[in-house]
């Protein structure tokens, strides 16, 4: 999938969140608003699988 799909999902979740929040369903609006970073992270991870894996050096292994 392209990056556009994940960005569109993020924007859609923000719009739904705003609609819920402004119509008085504040807790549901906040809950749906928390989906946005999750969708972006999922898109980043899924996009990264298409590329060849690169070895990253972690904090504990020396930067």
């Amino acid at each position: 999938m392209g990056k556009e799909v994940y960005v569109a999902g993020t924007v859609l979740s923000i719009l739904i969140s705003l609609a819920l929040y402004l119509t008085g369903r504040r807790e549901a609006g906040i809950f749906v608003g928390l989906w946005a970073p999750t969708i972006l992270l999922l898109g980043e991870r899924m996009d990264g699988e298409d590329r060849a894996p690169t070895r990253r050096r972690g904090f504990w292994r020396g930067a």
Side-chain angles (χ1 to χ4, degrees), residues 12-54:
L12 185 61
S13 74
I14 292 170
L15 292 175
I16 292 171
S17 172
L18 279 171
L20 287 168
Y21 192 85
L22 294 175
T23 57
R25 299 182 63 194
R26 297 185 192 275
E27 288 86 12
I30 293 170
F31 176 71
V32 173
L34 292 173
W35 294 355
T38 305
I39 294 170
L40 283 176
L41 182 62
L42 177 65
E44 183 180 321
R45 293 291 179 169
M46 296 290 283
D47 187 41
E49 289 180 3
D50 294 340
R51 299 187 187 107
T54 58

